[in-house]
Amino acid sequence: MSADEISESVGLAPLSADGPCTSMQQLTVQVLEDVLYNIVHDICLRTHREEKIARANSAAIAVEKKAELLRQNSPDEDSDTGEARTVKTDMAAYINGESILLKNPLTAVNEILCPKCSLTRLLYPIDGKGARKPDHPLDHYCKARPFIDKLDHDIYGQTFKPEGPGRGKRKADMVETKVQTEDPKTTPPPDAPRQNIAFPHAKCQNCNSHIPIRRMNRHMMRCIGGGGRGAAKNANQALQNGNGNGSRGGSQATSRNGTPAPGSQTNGRGSPNKRSMEDGWDSESPVKKKKASTKKTAAAKLKAPSMKKSSSQHSASKLSFESRLPNSDDDDGPGNDDNGDGEYDSTIAVEPKKKTLPKIKLTTKKKVDALGLGIAVSGGMKLKEKKWKYGTGNKPAVPPDVIKIKKTEKSEAGRASPDSSRTMSSSPPE
Amino acid sequence: MSSSRPLTPASPKEQLINPSRPGVPRYGCTHLEQFFTRSPQKTQTLIKYYKQCLKVVFNDAPSLRHTSKTANDQVHTTVKPNFLCLQCNVIANAKNRMEHGDDKNHRLFVESRSGTLYCQMCDDYVWDPTFEDLRTRKYGTGSFTLKKRKHSELFEDNDPTFITTNTTEAACRVSGLRGIYNMGATCYMSVILQSIVHNPLLRNFYLAEGHQSNECEIKWCMSCAIDHMFQEFYASDPFNTTGFLASGILGSFYIHKRVAFDQLAEPREQDAHEFFQYITEELHEINCGEKGRDGDLSPVKKTKMSGEKGCGCIIHQTFYGKLQSKKTCLNCNDININTEPFLDLSLGLEALSNKESKLTTVSLQQCLKKYFEPEGCEYTCHNCETRKATKQLSIKTLPNVLCIQLKRFKQFDGLQSKVDTKVTFPLKLEMLPYTNRAKKDDASENFELARSCMYDLQSVVVHVGSMDTGHYYSYSRVGNQWFKFNDHNVNLASKSQVLSEQAFLLFYVIQSLA
């Protein structure tokens, strides 16, 4: 190739000074150079294309915007002469409904406008690598912002603790706070009240209960039936019988607002809790259920229209189930709390059972009940915390629960077959 | 290079220049405007010439367009870009382009590497909407019209006013970039869902109401759940940048789990590839309307049935290609050819890494080559009844989205272990050598065919950890930017970061679509 020019060109790699270069050497160097040139050429051309098209379009958008403004300001001429009028900016002209460039947009256009909202695009991230402070307040710019590249932050500037290698520890890598992109702060101390719950709760469609997202998989396996084929069949049957109408039908009678789990603050719980959860669910339920169901149905009906899918709606019958799960993780926001005293009870009960210490649970229940009525209206985090403390702190032995447990098992077994069966087997309280 | 741009809708044929669209200037530069506005005939010839230039650039042998004549009739061939004059058939290089322009008053050139228009009066490359449209179409599909591939109905021209009145435009902020919360060892699911979200075909299908959830009668329909996911990613509250709750999908998954994937429906860590197979099969059945009708048939039967018919559902359009296996009897040279659809290619790594034990890294192309090499097999010949034969696989039909699995999990003496061989994979993959057309015309270099077999990397699923436990995360490309999706976290990623990963699943999208 271009052998005739080789002599003129300066090689990338210095040709050996010792002896005369063979033509093959020269050729090799030349070809290598050309190939490198091509790579750079392609990259430049690609960037050039993106940039120039964006700028040309921005010029068109700007002139169209101006034309639109003019037309609005002088509505009289609009119908007749509006079409023929020419609007000009220093970059482009708008003639007969067409925008035409007047200059090379690469030199003439400085701002890139968003084709959708015709606001200026922010060209630099506002945080992290390569960040620049914008000249104008952020409202001035289009909402599509450059993504943020910052350690421990995601592309929207939300923070999370760095994860360990691989899976990471369960609770260690939770998102602590969601930092608004407008005012990035450092992570607030973990004790601070959470406004945005990092790990939300999601609704199980089968039983309509709200489960912390990290527990969803386990829950669903139990609720719908994982493992064996029989379980799936059961679940399907249940569906067809109308039990599983939950998510789509939006069953009001069973629906409840979010479970406020008192114990939620403790993020880092070991696996033993999970196992215990099953146990808990049997034992706690009976008394509470009754209360809960009556109160809740009323509450639920009132609230039902306003509720969003994500936040609320639990089936009363499966309270116990749900409640355990939330306990172990985080609570939902205070908004969910208000409807039920019963919920509290149930949730509380669940937690203690994890460790197969029925006494604790019982005590918590009682206290909760007592508290619950009064507190229900005020609702919210404080209550939960109190309860939680009670539950953990006191270990008075009041074992009336055994009886309750038995009852509950029976009663619940009827309702949700797969769950109950498993729980029974796994949970021996005392 | 321009492949990442979506194709702009085709203009009606009689219209030479694309109609002006709001927000886009009508012409690329002022000089081009002069050319276009002189007379319709001249415009027509200009466009005709441009098409010819593009054909030279994209279809002919590169030596043609890279050879130019200098003023004193010296032939000059270069690797660097040359310039094809748009107004005559001279090919100039960067140096004598100016001379030619002064000489003949020809001011428009076509660059020989990408077919880009160069305006000498601007002294700049020009991206005219009309020419650019032609160029991207030529580059992608090899023709100037859009009707090349079956699925092009997905891109069919609609009346723009109809679209604007009946749809809500996504907010500026919506990028389709969200994490998916881990629901307790569900990262195998998240990575597959992310690859689905960023799959252009499936995205268009679902965002175009391909599956109408409100008319769907299937309870816990997986397709509805996926539809919901797309809505969440692309259409819902633009300020919701936190993770997506895939509980609906998980629920559907548990309820509609299949006999064949029994092991999968357990709350443990699972194989992402198996989940991919599951979800494609599930979606296929829903989209074919088979779901529920013949629920009692075994899944194997079902796939067989649909495979024979040549299912036209979105999943088949997207992921399925056809493999041809050619069995040659070693004794009588009797050839037996049969074809079967394939969802993905599972490439073994062991054979390669064992054979050349010094080799620490293997390239994807090597794996593919190995996979499509002839190998001995057990086969009873019809004619001579000998049992020795060779079997060679080749691809008969390439899928639109090619899923490649690198078998990193092996079983050896009952022990399972993970193969940690590093596999290098390209951003652009050419599949022509592995198709059944490769051998026929390797002499005549068919650049157009080769280009139609080019794939762009779209998503990469990575597994870290050991056989028993580990974690999946994935990378996906949006435009030219790569992003890393690790559960609910989304981060920017560089290409080098992506390419240095130990990939487990690779999703390549055919270039004409990407």
Side-chain angles (χ1 to χ4, degrees):
Chain A
M1 317 221 157
S2 67
D4 48 341
E5 283 197 12
I6 286 174
S7 49
E8 313 162 17
S9 63
V10 181
L12 257 186
L15 297 176
S16 61
D18 314 342
C21 308
T22 63
S23 63
M24 199 57 203
Q25 278 176 327
Q26 288 179 322
L27 194 66
T28 312
V29 170
Q30 182 66 33
V31 168
L32 175 71
E33 221 171 64
D34 284 357
V35 168
L36 288 176
Y37 175 91
N38 279 342
I39 292 170
V40 176
H41 175 81
D42 287 351
I43 292 172
C44 287
L45 201 62
R46 191 183 309 148
T47 312
H48 181 271
R49 177 180 193 270
E50 276 170 17
E51 191 64 19
K52 194 167 180 184
I53 290 180
R55 292 197 186 201
N57 291 353
S58 304
I61 293 161
V63 78
E64 279 163 26
K65 207 162 113 187
K66 195 175 170 189
E68 183 66 24
L69 270 179
L70 279 178
R71 199 186 310 157
Q72 281 172 359
N73 292 342
S74 55
D76 316 335
E77 308 165 38
D78 185 26
S79 52
D80 311 324
T81 56
E83 288 271 321
R85 204 153 19 108
T86 304
V87 181
K88 275 193 181 181
T89 61
D90 42 354
M91 305 162 295
Y94 188 70
I95 306 164
N96 295 335
E98 293 175 3
S99 37
I100 286 161
L101 292 175
L102 298 177
K103 286 178 189 169
N104 187 341
L106 267 188
T107 54
V109 181
N110 298 319
E111 282 184 331
I112 288 178
L113 302 181
C114 170
K116 284 182 193 157
C117 61
S118 71
L119 291 174
T120 314
R121 276 267 163 84
L122 203 56
L123 297 180
Y124 302 96
I126 49 178
D127 197 5
K129 210 181 272 180
R132 290 199 193 177
K133 212 177 174 190
D135 301 333
H136 303 278
L138 284 169
D139 302 345
H140 179 78
Y141 297 100
C142 170
K143 292 281 191 299
R145 297 187 186 135
F147 296 114
I148 291 167
D149 185 8
K150 191 176 176 185
L151 189 66
D152 299 346
H153 289 63
D154 74 358
I155 52 169
Y156 300 109
Q158 300 163 126
T159 55
F160 47 88
K161 273 187 185 172
E163 277 183 304
R167 165 164 302 279
K169 273 152 202 161
R170 264 283 157 107
K171 306 297 158 81
D173 52 356
M174 290 177 64
V175 175
E176 293 236 309
T177 47
K178 189 174 144 192
V179 177
Q180 295 298 317
T181 39
E182 276 78 8
D183 51 348
K185 323 162 204 166
T186 50
T187 321
D191 302 307
R194 267 190 219 106
Q195 278 122 14
N196 301 301
I197 290 162
F199 282 88
H201 292 210
K203 191 168 67 179
C204 168
Q205 298 177 334
N206 197 34
C207 65
N208 267 346
S209 55
H210 275 236
I211 314 288
I213 191 69
R214 300 218 123 186
R215 293 293 166 82
M216 206 63 192
N217 199 358
R218 278 172 170 278
H219 166 80
M220 284 222 174
M221 192 274 289
R222 246 177 251 131
C223 183
I224 297 170
R229 300 174 191 181
K233 277 181 193 164
N234 289 342
N236 267 327
Q237 278 172 359
L239 268 180
Q240 281 155 12
N241 296 338
N243 291 340
N245 52 352
S247 63
R248 312 248 158 108
S251 62
Q252 290 91 346
T254 54
S255 68
R256 229 217 233 172
N257 281 356
T259 57
S264 62
Q265 286 85 354
T266 62
N267 291 339
R269 291 199 175 172
S271 54
N273 297 344
K274 299 164 194 170
R275 286 175 204 155
S276 62
M277 290 161 47
E278 300 174 358
D279 313 357
W281 107 281
D282 299 0
S283 60
E284 26 151 344
S285 51
V287 179
K288 296 158 188 179
K289 268 191 184 175
K290 287 167 191 172
K291 286 183 189 174
S293 62
T294 55
K295 289 177 186 176
K296 280 162 192 173
T297 48
K301 280 173 187 171
L302 290 178
K303 290 191 172 182
S306 65
M307 291 192 292
K308 289 183 178 180
K309 307 176 202 167
S310 61
S311 64
S312 56
Q313 294 191 348
H314 303 234
S315 63
S317 63
K318 282 136 195 182
L319 285 180
S320 58
F321 203 93
E322 301 177 353
S323 56
R324 304 165 198 159
L325 296 173
N327 289 345
S328 57
D329 251 342
D330 318 8
D331 295 5
D332 270 337
N336 299 334
D337 308 358
D338 35 1
N339 38 348
D341 312 348
E343 293 183 352
Y344 290 128
D345 305 359
S346 64
T347 56
I348 294 165
V350 176
E351 289 196 343
K353 291 195 174 181
K354 307 166 191 172
K355 307 279 180 177
T356 67
L357 296 177
K359 299 173 182 180
I360 299 173
K361 297 170 187 177
L362 294 175
T363 57
T364 57
K365 288 180 187 176
K366 286 181 176 181
K367 292 183 177 179
V368 174
D369 291 0
L371 293 175
L373 296 178
I375 303 165
V377 180
S378 63
M381 301 290 290
K382 292 177 183 176
L383 288 181
K384 293 175 188 174
E385 289 175 8
K386 284 179 185 175
K387 293 173 187 176
W388 172 234
K389 284 173 187 171
Y390 289 124
T392 54
N394 306 338
K395 296 184 181 181
V398 185
D401 41 350
V402 180
I403 303 167
K404 286 180 184 177
I405 295 166
K406 287 177 183 174
K407 285 180 184 175
T408 56
E409 284 181 355
K410 287 176 187 173
S411 64
E412 291 187 357
R415 297 184 184 177
S417 53
D419 300 355
S420 62
S421 62
R422 300 199 173 191
T423 50
M424 290 180 74
S425 61
S426 60
S427 66
E430 285 270 348
Chain B
M1 55 187 348
S2 62
S3 54
S4 58
R5 296 258 163 172
L7 294 180
T8 41
S11 56
K13 274 207 166 165
E14 59 273 14
Q15 210 154 4
L16 289 168
I17 307 173
N18 287 2
S20 70
R21 278 168 291 151
V24 178
R26 178 107 200 230
Y27 309 106
C29 75
T30 48
H31 316 105
L32 207 56
E33 181 193 343
Q34 290 167 9
F35 279 105
F36 276 146
T37 46
R38 277 187 300 191
S39 77
Q41 284 80 21
K42 286 198 173 160
T43 309
Q44 202 171 359
T45 47
L46 200 65
I47 286 181
K48 204 177 88 191
Y49 282 148
Y50 186 64
K51 284 184 179 178
Q52 282 170 1
C53 288
L54 286 181
K55 273 183 196 152
V56 172
V57 168
F58 289 127
N59 293 358
D60 293 346
S63 55
L64 183 64
R65 61 177 182 271
H66 284 291
T67 307
S68 60
K69 275 188 182 176
T70 50
N72 42 2
D73 276 355
Q74 253 186 319
V75 178
H76 181 98
T77 305
T78 175
V79 187
K80 292 203 271 189
N82 260 348
F83 292 87
L84 287 67
C85 178
L86 190 58
Q87 287 145 292
C88 65
N89 50 13
V90 165
I91 298 173
N93 62 14
K95 276 180 191 160
N96 55 23
R97 181 186 66 211
M98 208 61 171
E99 297 165 21
H100 177 74
D102 291 339
D103 209 23
K104 300 271 177 67
N105 247 350
H106 290 172
R107 301 296 182 193
L108 295 175
F109 296 90
V110 178
E111 192 255 359
S112 68
R113 281 180 64 79
S114 61
T116 310
L117 193 74
Y118 177 86
C119 170
Q120 202 165 67
M121 284 179 281
C122 295
D123 193 19
D124 198 0
Y125 293 99
V126 172
W127 310 96
D128 182 72
T130 309
F131 282 164
E132 200 46 22
D133 201 20
L134 287 173
R135 192 181 71 87
T136 47
R137 252 183 277 155
K138 179 72 188 165
Y139 180 66
T141 61
S143 76
F144 294 109
T145 54
L146 273 178
K147 305 279 174 190
K148 192 88 187 244
R149 294 199 141 246
K150 251 195 299 182
H151 50 257
S152 61
E153 65 239 30
L154 290 177
F155 299 102
E156 227 164 49
D157 227 354
N158 281 320
D159 183 13
T161 54
F162 176 81
I163 294 176
T164 47
T165 49
N166 287 293
T167 57
T168 49
E169 206 166 5
C172 305
R173 174 128 188 185
V174 170
S175 54
L177 295 164
R178 286 177 72 183
I180 297 178
Y181 280 110
N182 194 331
M183 296 179 284
T186 58
C187 52
Y188 69 94
M189 184 178 287
S190 303
V191 290
I192 296 300
L193 293 179
Q194 287 288 6
S195 77
I196 287 177
V197 166
H198 294 102
N199 183 322
L201 279 171
L202 292 180
R203 183 188 61 210
N204 288 1
F205 174 78
Y206 276 103
L207 291 184
E209 287 286 306
H211 178 84
Q212 269 152 0
S213 296
N214 39 10
E215 289 172 20
C216 183
E217 287 175 357
I218 305 170
K219 271 186 183 175
W220 306 94
C221 169
M222 178 61 89
S223 196
C224 293
I226 299 283
D227 189 42
H228 174 70
M229 178 178 74
F230 274 101
Q231 292 299 327
E232 280 281 317
F233 268 75
Y234 288 100
S236 71
D237 178 18
F239 288 96
N240 190 356
T241 53
T242 53
F244 169 67
L245 305 170
S247 57
I249 291 166
L250 189 68
S252 306
F253 171 51
Y254 273 122
I255 285 174
H256 293 300
K257 72 194 171 60
R258 296 156 167 279
V259 181
F261 296 100
D262 216 15
Q263 296 286 316
L264 205 56
E266 279 179 27
R268 284 195 263 112
E269 295 172 19
Q270 302 289 351
D271 183 359
H273 182 243
E274 270 178 51
F275 181 72
F276 173 68
Q277 288 176 322
Y278 160 80
I279 203 166
T280 46
E281 198 167 294
E282 179 79 20
L283 291 177
H284 151 70
E285 276 183 22
I286 291 169
N287 282 308
C288 286
E290 282 179 22
K291 185 80 187 171
R293 259 198 293 144
D294 47 3
D296 297 332
L297 284 180
S298 77
V300 184
K301 246 185 189 172
K302 275 189 239 170
T303 47
K304 267 190 185 167
M305 279 167 51
S306 56
E308 284 163 12
K309 278 183 227 154
C311 171
C313 77
I314 182 66
I315 294 299
H316 273 77
Q317 279 187 38
T318 307
F319 292 109
Y320 277 83
K322 275 184 186 161
L323 267 184
Q324 168 183 301
S325 72
K326 186 166 111 181
K327 286 172 187 154
T328 314
C329 176
L330 288 179
N331 191 23
C332 62
N333 282 337
D334 182 46
I335 292 176
N336 182 3
I337 293 179
N338 54 1
T339 59
E340 53 182 17
F342 71 97
L343 171 68
D344 47 32
L345 300 175
S346 291
L347 307 180
L349 303 177
E350 279 180 79
L352 274 176
S353 51
N354 282 354
K355 199 170 65 181
E356 301 145 77
S357 51
K358 291 169 197 166
L359 223 58
T360 49
T361 61
V362 182
S363 75
L364 180 66
Q365 284 90 342
Q366 280 173 302
C367 297
L368 282 167
K369 195 177 162 214
K370 172 84 187 159
Y371 184 79
F372 290 108
E373 257 173 15
E375 57 181 6
C377 72
E378 290 275 308
Y379 164 70
T380 323
C381 177
H382 298 295
N383 292 344
C384 56
E385 308 220 333
T386 44
R387 291 201 145 231
K388 281 191 176 174
T390 57
K391 177 184 168 189
Q392 182 174 23
L393 291 172
S394 61
I395 297 179
K396 195 180 177 200
T397 316
L398 281 165
N400 288 318
V401 177
L402 177 68
C403 173
I404 294 176
Q405 182 209 9
L406 302 169
K407 286 193 219 159
R408 292 205 175 273
F409 304 115
K410 67 171 178 184
Q411 271 188 315
F412 184 68
D413 288 345
L415 288 175
Q416 292 180 321
S417 63
K418 194 183 165 192
V419 183
D420 284 326
T421 315
K422 191 165 159 41
V423 178
T424 58
F425 49 95
L427 285 172
K428 281 179 185 293
L429 177 68
E430 193 195 324
M431 289 299 288
L432 182 62
Y434 318 109
T435 59
N436 58 352
R437 287 200 236 175
K439 300 127 220 167
K440 282 180 200 165
D441 40 2
D442 53 351
S444 65
E445 300 173 48
N446 193 337
F447 298 99
E448 194 176 345
L449 190 62
R451 208 174 53 251
S452 69
C453 297
M454 285 300 280
Y455 281 82
D456 282 326
L457 189 62
Q458 178 65 47
S459 295
V460 181
V461 172
V462 183
H463 182 262
V464 293
S466 64
M467 180 70 213
D468 312 318
T469 182
H471 184 52
Y472 284 107
Y473 54 88
S474 65
Y475 293 91
S476 283
R477 180 172 55 86
V478 178
N480 279 326
Q481 178 64 53
W482 283 89
F483 294 91
K484 178 180 178 179
F485 299 91
N486 186 356
D487 288 345
H488 53 278
N489 297 333
V490 186
N491 287 104
L492 290 171
S494 64
K495 276 178 191 166
S496 58
Q497 189 185 346
V498 175
L499 292 179
S500 61
E501 286 288 355
Q502 221 188 56
F504 173 59
L505 289 175
L506 296 165
F507 290 89
Y508 281 94
V509 180
I510 199 151
Q511 194 174 56
S512 54
L513 278 180

